[in-house]
Amino acid sequence: MVLHLVPRCSARLFWASPGWRRTYTQGASVGLKSLGCPRHRHSPLACRGYSSASGSPEVILTPERYPVQRLPFSTVSEEDLAAFERIIPGRVVTDPEQLETCNVDWLRSVRGCSKVLLRPQTSEEVSQILRHCYQRNLAVNPQGGNTGMVGGSVPVFDEVILSTALMNQVISFHDVSGILVCQAGCVLEELSRYVQARDFIMPLDLGAKGSCHIGGNVATNAGGLRFLRYGSLRGTVLGLEVVLADGTILNCLTSLRKDNTGYDLKQLFIGSEGTLGVITAVSILCPPRPKAVNVAFLGCPGFAEVLQTFSTCKGMLGEILSAFEFMDTECMQLVGQHLHLTNPVQESPFYVLVETSGSSAAHDAEKLTGVLEQVLNSGLVSDGTMATDQRKIQMLWALRERITEALSRDGYVFKYDISLPVERLYDLVIDVRTRLGPRAKHVVGYGHLGDGNLHLNVTAEAFSQELLGALEPYVYAWTAEQRGSVSAEHGLGFKKKNVLSYSKPPEAVKLMQQLKVMLDPKGILNPYKTLPAQA
Amino acid sequence: MVLHLVPRCSARLFWASPGWRRTYTQGASVGLKSLGCPRHRHSPLACRGYSSASGSPEVILTPERYPVQRLPFSTVSEEDLAAFERIIPGRVVTDPEQLETCNVDWLRSVRGCSKVLLRPQTSEEVSQILRHCYQRNLAVNPQGGNTGMVGGSVPVFDEVILSTALMNQVISFHDVSGILVCQAGCVLEELSRYVQARDFIMPLDLGAKGSCHIGGNVATNAGGLRFLRYGSLRGTVLGLEVVLADGTILNCLTSLRKDNTGYDLKQLFIGSEGTLGVITAVSILCPPRPKAVNVAFLGCPGFAEVLQTFSTCKGMLGEILSAFEFMDTECMQLVGQHLHLTNPVQESPFYVLVETSGSSAAHDAEKLTGVLEQVLNSGLVSDGTMATDQRKIQMLWALRERITEALSRDGYVFKYDISLPVERLYDLVIDVRTRLGPRAKHVVGYGHLGDGNLHLNVTAEAFSQELLGALEPYVYAWTAEQRGSVSAEHGLGFKKKNVLSYSKPPEAVKLMQQLKVMLDPKGILNPYKTLPAQA
């Protein structure tokens, strides 16, 4: 009956953003010490290891780990800094220690060496900055909450970091239509609170919600936990304001559900990871806040039964089904072993979490109970439990959501984020497990089954080039054979740009490169990302 | 309790497409007389007036009515015809009488003079045809069901007509995920039947469903009656196969709900009206078939009450709300006067039709009854009726859907398809009514209120340049002032391409033109459409 407002495990992995009040006072004087990369400031856990000063090992510079050559961009000069200072007085950051967190991604896997962080507050300032960079041939790394998984949000070399952190104003909210218009730097969790207070919800929800910016969500076409119910950002984002490489402001910030006047340009920028333009404002359609949320956690004897349970839920729950997640028994062992979470049902080869969100607690509970009776009686499910109160709902969600955390405590983790036809989804996990044998500590599969999205994770005592060689390109080739996606929701960024061709034909890659050249002829926007280097 | 499978009034305005069986036998020999434009063959009503031979007045040639100059494309030669005949033997149509229906749009408002109709069956054939046309600099008019409202689907001059009518195969359907993959020429209504037999529905529904092709739906980003519930094609279309201007086949025909590998190229072609590429196959996500449908028809004392009723329905019906349509009292008078339909509730200034689609008849009826009690008790609604049986559901839907037909019987109709912020939606109707005074016979407003989409229609005894001058650019400027869209769902095609700038800034128009040049450097694909001629 209560709305599911659980922060889930995000607090463990990300840090809570500055409060709403703070977000709204940014128009006043904002000192240089208020950085765009919040982790560094606030979270003792997150801070740990973020700079060499803290005592943990420094992250190796990206060009030292990866075969990448700096392109012939200009280098930031004193004159450039003076020009930036004229555009955004007092918001040009050059202190190396302050720059450290913005140069390193949150997974601590890549590290740039940018010498300057710019913190504009308006689209006009972004426009002036880009106009200058374009004229001077300076490369730019647009940065939101820096919560990406593929190294797309930090510089590779010395790109100018352009942070959206101070662009955090709600521009308008329409309480009949649920259309929210806001600047790109608004933190997702803050927006969630804002619209929930008005009886709506954001159409997306992510573990990183406490840090990620809505502009970054759109730039990476973030998926997440509400995708099954509310669909892709390509449908829910109604308008964008974008600054192009040369500083042109492209205002497509409409608040219309329907608009068939010419090509839908905003789609170019959704999911383009900052390589085609810098998103400065977003118009997004928020669904009404559901009045009732129920969660069931079920044990299934096999993957075939998981699939049949999914079909049953789709058929019987219909419009109230809001999540269908799965995890295998190894995931359950890991959350038990490392996090001491208790399995609420009898041990099973697979577990599924079913969530409903609807407008009548009584109706929804009746529907879900009907499903549970059917799947238990037919043997699709061997045991199950259902929660309607928030505490138990949180407990059940934690089993699924804290898998990432449990894995990180198990050792070095090789991570794959794959889309596959659902009936083949788990075959990849079995194949990889067989292929690696005792070389891997654990090979686990879990994810958003309702969206055909598998998270395949492999743990080992430490990073091993040999294990990596056994995994890649095997996993990508396997996925390509099923016409799957080698990046379901994480994007390509820096670390996956070279696997694009496993999911896209050469004609598509060529057209993407043409688009890049058309929109960013000097290639200054987030270089070395998303697209493979041209031959 | 029954599913709403009503053909609605489409049979009166469109024809039934050739049967499914026929659709599936197209692989065998298809004679020249089996044209891409079904109206000519099958419907005595539709045939009436379609060619001068039938006795009704001929439609004036487009270049004689509109100020448009032929661009310097080549003219189809005997050698070209021979080349086409080698690519698609027996499927090159040059008979003038047979070409007539494909040269004229269904509104009988524009007419081209193409001398050749090509009927490929495969993407490879489309590729070979376009490669030839590209080399020869021959302009091409891609044509689906030819049901568009803005003259986008017929030639302006002598463009080669490339019909998708014989590309009508279902390629695959996945009965767990509901993902349908099919060729572009499949008729929407046939696809609806196909997926409904498998307990799914198409995510879109239109009055033109009996004729329109899914490829045309995607090319025009069709909206329609299920938009409120299932959202835009930009979210439900998962993949496309497209042939580019030079004949390159771009295969992005994936069946994945999530795929963040590079730029989402298919979005370029959704809504581009055949000007950037020819869609040859579509992958689309079908929602599960609802088990229960209910319809309520309500009378409201004012437009403010219509809006409040909408808010109430959104809040209380939540996930089961599947349509919220409105019409004014003049619409009701016209369907009464011209079609003899009976108003089922007491006369009111406004009427709304509320549809629910859900998975439990009992739950849905209970929810809807709750809404009705609330809106009646609070005075938002003065009278109402509710239907759960198919016959009455059809009867209520007919009141809304047959407005177009009633208007066409009232005289010459000036049609506008506008998106506006809902609270200003009806002000435009009032303003236009005041502005025109007795010069107009009727000024009516109706449409998809739930999507902010107004159909503003003005009738007069006959076409009048003076009335047109009073309407345009007034309606467009009024819409622009509200940051609305001058084409919510119909697209721009030939007839509206010059009003693009009312809804898009110059930077956007410029970028659209760059996209066109990049993808179709010779401009052979559907020329004179969508974008204004470059200065």
Side-chain angles (χ1 to χ4, degrees), chain A residues 160-190:
Chain A
V160 171
I161 303 173
L162 180 62
S163 166
T164 53
L166 298 186
M167 301 181 69
N168 53 9
Q169 302 280 337
V170 169
I171 298 167
S172 66
F173 183 74
H174 192 282
D175 57 11
V176 174
S177 63
I179 296 169
L180 170 75
V181 183
C182 64
Q183 283 190 296
C186 290
V187 172
L188 180 59
E189 193 168 50
E190 304 298 342

Side-chain angles (χ1 to χ4, degrees), chain B residues 150 415-418 476 486-487 490-500 530:
Chain B
V150 286
K415 286 182 169 293
Y416 301 94
D417 165 41
I418 305 286
Y476 298 127
V486 293
S487 187
H490 294 167
L492 298 173
F494 173 74
K495 292 194 286 179
K496 286 196 175 177
K497 63 175 177 166
N498 290 323
V499 301
L500 172 57
T530 308

Side-chain angles (χ1 to χ4, degrees), chain B residues 270-291:
Chain B
I270 299 175
S272 67
E273 305 185 82
T275 62
L276 299 180
V278 177
I279 294 171
T280 49
V282 174
S283 168
I284 191 165
L285 183 67
C286 299
R289 178 176 170 160
K291 294 190 182 71

Side-chain angles (χ1 to χ4, degrees), chain B residues 339-358:
Chain B
L339 308 174
H340 312 295
L341 301 187
T342 310
N343 181 353
V345 298
Q346 72 181 48
E347 204 181 311
S348 308
F350 291 93
Y351 302 91
V352 300
L353 184 150
V354 183
E355 186 190 70
T356 66
S357 304

Side-chain angles (χ1 to χ4, degrees), chain B residues 410-459:
Chain B
D410 199 53
Y412 186 90
V413 192
F414 298 87
K415 286 182 169 293
Y416 301 94
D417 165 41
I418 305 286
S419 273
L420 285 170
V422 281
E423 65 277 10
R424 297 301 314 273
L425 199 80
Y426 201 71
D427 292 349
L428 176 59
V429 183
I430 296 169
D431 281 11
V432 168
R433 199 174 279 147
T434 308
R435 179 178 172 83
L436 298 184
R439 286 182 289 180
K441 204 169 162 190
H442 287 104
V443 177
V444 309
Y446 64 99
H448 315 291
L449 186 98
D451 308 319
N453 186 180
L454 168 73
H455 294 310
L456 164 69
N457 282 240
V458 176
T459 61

Side-chain angles (χ1 to χ4, degrees), chain A residues 174 176 220-221 234 258-261 263-264 275 291 314-315 363 367 419 423 453 485 487 489 504, chain B residues 174 176 221 234 258-261 263-264 275 291 314-315 363 367 419 423 453 485 487 489 504:
Chain A
H174 192 282
V176 174
T220 55
N221 190 28
R234 298 193 176 277
K258 284 172 156 180
D259 176 21
N260 276 349
T261 54
Y263 311 145
D264 189 5
T275 62
K291 294 189 182 73
K314 274 182 75 170
H363 291 170
K367 287 189 180 92
S419 273
E423 66 276 9
N453 186 180
S485 170
S487 187
E489 55 180 10
K504 293 287 156 67
Chain B
H174 192 281
V176 174
N221 190 28
R234 298 193 176 277
K258 283 172 157 181
D259 177 20
N260 275 349
T261 54
Y263 311 145
D264 189 5
T275 62
K291 294 190 182 71
K314 275 182 75 170
H363 291 171
K367 286 188 180 95
S419 273
E423 65 277 10
N453 186 180
S485 170
S487 187
E489 56 180 11
K504 293 289 157 66

Side-chain angles (χ1 to χ4, degrees), chain A residues 26 87-88 91 119-132 162-169 171 181-185 215 239-253 277-283, chain B residues 483:
Chain A
Q26 54 86 12
I87 299 169
I88 48 169
R91 287 173 281 127
R119 293 157 57 78
Q121 290 175 334
T122 67
S123 308
E124 186 48 50
E125 289 175 351
V126 174
S127 167
Q128 289 181 45
I129 290 167
L130 286 183
R131 196 174 302 127
H132 178 88
L162 180 62
S163 166
T164 53
L166 298 186
M167 301 181 69
N168 53 9
Q169 302 280 337
I171 298 167
V181 183
C182 64
Q183 283 190 296
L240 291 180
E241 182 190 62
V242 178
V243 181
L244 303 182
D246 65 359
T248 300
I249 298 178
L250 184 70
N251 185 343
C252 297
L253 198 60
V278 177
I279 294 170
T280 49
V282 175
S283 167
Chain B
R483 298 212 64 189

